[in-house]
Amino acid sequence: KAGVTQTPRYLIKTRGQQVTLSCSPISGHRSVSWYQQTPGQGLQFLFEYFSETQRNKGNFPGRFSGRQFSNSRSEMNVSTLELGDSALYLCASSLDKGNEKLFFGSGTQLSVL
Amino acid sequence: GENVEQHPSTLSVQEGDSAVIKCTYSDSASNYFPWYKQELGKRPQLIIDIRSNVGEKKDQRIAVTLNKTAKHFSLHITETQPEDSAVYFCAASDSNDYKLSFGAGTTVTVRA
């Protein structure tokens, strides 16, 4: 079984731009979650999707948004990028519960200049 | 919301010794507590988890204990090996929340 795939692996953007990150979950997994990882901060929850519905959202500004498609693939979008958005964005998939037995992707490393 | 605190932030142990990482949580509704290991440059991977109706769980050299009354849980690694060097994250969750609240992580270094 293929693991969780995230693209692109690296991104360099400038302030004010927007970015779209993609995540393909493990086949059969219907829940996809997104986390932001920064040094010393651990993993901060962004949002979770199941069957194209957002079931929970973290404490991030409205510039962060996401969606899930009928094939369970998910995208997240960050608009009007700020320097503080520089981080590793991790996607995780699970069978149905957004909190149990998460399988993480390798992440997208976003640098905002 | 849930707040998870993790200690220590760094831990250096001699190969063969034990390592203990402790976490506390704030939300009494939390009932699921996983631990993830992230090796340098790699993705986090689940190594063990425990539910609130269980006090202890073991898997070979790793074990997790949970004290619901005190709202804390711990990861114990015995007979540490160089491959145990990594960042370990604890997390807590309410089953109805569809998310994990992570601690800030503990960097474990096993000295040969």
Side-chain angles (χ1 to χ4, degrees):
Chain A
K1 234 182 207 183
V4 179
T5 304
Q6 289 188 247
T7 57
R9 188 71 180 89
Y10 301 95
L11 266 178
I12 300 175
K13 294 287 187 178
T14 56
R15 281 179 297 174
Q17 288 187 309
Q18 75 165 15
V19 66
T20 299
L21 313 182
S22 180
C23 173
S24 293
I26 290 172
S27 177
H29 284 194
R30 296 170 65 189
S31 169
V32 174
S33 305
W34 290 88
Y35 288 83
Q36 181 194 65
Q37 184 175 22
T38 53
Q41 292 290 317
L43 286 77
Q44 303 294 319
F45 172 75
L46 283 155
F47 22 66
E48 188 266 354
Y49 290 89
F50 179 82
S51 291
E52 301 178 68
T53 299
Q54 185 183 87
R55 294 194 293 190
N56 204 345
K57 187 178 191 304
N59 296 322
F60 280 82
R63 300 184 296 105
F64 291 80
S65 63
R67 60 178 175 168
Q68 187 181 34
F69 302 96
S70 58
N71 62 357
S72 294
R73 192 178 69 85
S74 177
E75 290 181 346
M76 68 164 279
N77 183 276
V78 188
S79 62
T80 320
L81 284 165
E82 300 178 359
L83 295 178
D85 296 334
S86 295
L88 179 66
Y89 290 88
L90 290 164
C91 164
S93 77
S94 64
L95 274 172
D96 50 15
K97 298 184 179 182
N99 60 336
E100 295 189 15
K101 313 292 186 189
L102 301 188
F103 288 83
F104 283 88
S106 296
T108 293
Q109 184 67 54
L110 173 64
S111 297
V112 182
L113 307 177
Chain B
E2 175 65 273
N3 181 46
V4 178
E5 295 192 354
Q6 184 172 348
H7 300 281
S9 57
T10 61
L11 181 60
S12 179
V13 297
Q14 190 70 34
E15 183 177 357
D17 287 349
S18 296
V20 180
I21 304 170
K22 299 182 179 181
C23 290
T24 60
Y25 62 99
S26 61
D27 189 351
S28 56
S30 289
N31 54 15
Y32 176 69
F33 307 91
W35 287 84
Y36 284 80
K37 174 184 180 182
Q38 187 175 29
E39 296 177 24
L40 189 62
K42 301 283 184 64
R43 65 192 75 190
Q45 291 189 303
L46 177 68
I47 56 171
I48 194 167
D49 56 9
I50 191 169
R51 298 185 189 279
S52 58
N53 58 348
V54 176
E56 183 176 359
K57 184 176 179 180
K58 287 183 180 180
D59 183 2
Q60 297 181 25
R61 294 186 298 106
I62 60 173
V64 58
T65 59
L66 170 66
N67 184 325
K68 284 173 52 180
T69 304
K71 292 185 191 170
H72 67 70
F73 55 113
S74 301
L75 178 72
H76 304 253
I77 307 173
T78 59
E79 301 174 15
T80 52
Q81 300 170 5
E83 54 264 36
D84 294 329
S85 294
V87 180
Y88 292 80
F89 294 97
C90 63
S93 173
D94 173 355
S95 294
N96 298 319
D97 236 6
Y98 311 117
K99 72 170 188 179
L100 288 174
S101 297
F102 283 90
T106 297
T107 300
V108 174
T109 303
V110 180
R111 307 187 309 271

